[in-house]
Amino acid sequence: IEIKEGENICIADNPPEFRDKIIRLFKDKQFRDYIVRGGQKLVNEKYSRSVLASGLAPFWREVELESKK
């Protein structure tokens, strides 16, 4: 998964750091909205149904061709 700390996710290495990031998300609407938009953009660009389907299409074509041999 192509995540980026502070752009589309909040990652922490320990519980106090995680707590601080959660508190920032609650208190800082602008930062929270930024993370949400980044996460939505990532999902739409990399993991939406259409993106996943287009990536799987060649696989299924190959399966179809192999099954006809």
Side-chain angles (χ1 to χ4, degrees):
I1 297 178
E2 299 176 24
I3 56 174
K4 293 182 182 174
E5 161 61 29
E7 287 187 31
N8 51 34
I9 194 168
C10 289
I11 299 173
D13 293 323
N14 56 62
E17 185 182 351
F18 185 67
R19 179 203 61 223
D20 292 345
K21 290 186 181 204
I22 296 298
I23 291 169
R24 181 175 180 199
L25 286 168
F26 276 110
K27 289 184 173 182
D28 187 342
K29 183 179 181 338
Q30 186 176 12
F31 178 66
R32 182 175 62 244
D33 290 344
Y34 178 77
I35 295 292
V36 167
R37 281 191 306 275
Q40 290 171 334
K41 180 179 180 212
L42 174 67
V43 168
N44 290 334
E45 290 178 357
K46 303 290 182 178
Y47 306 104
S48 68
R49 282 188 198 158
S50 60
V51 170
L52 294 175
S54 67
L56 288 173
F59 168 78
W60 287 114
R61 278 194 286 279
E62 185 177 334
V63 168
E64 180 184 21
L65 291 173
E66 289 295 320
S67 70
K68 292 180 180 180
K69 289 183 177 180

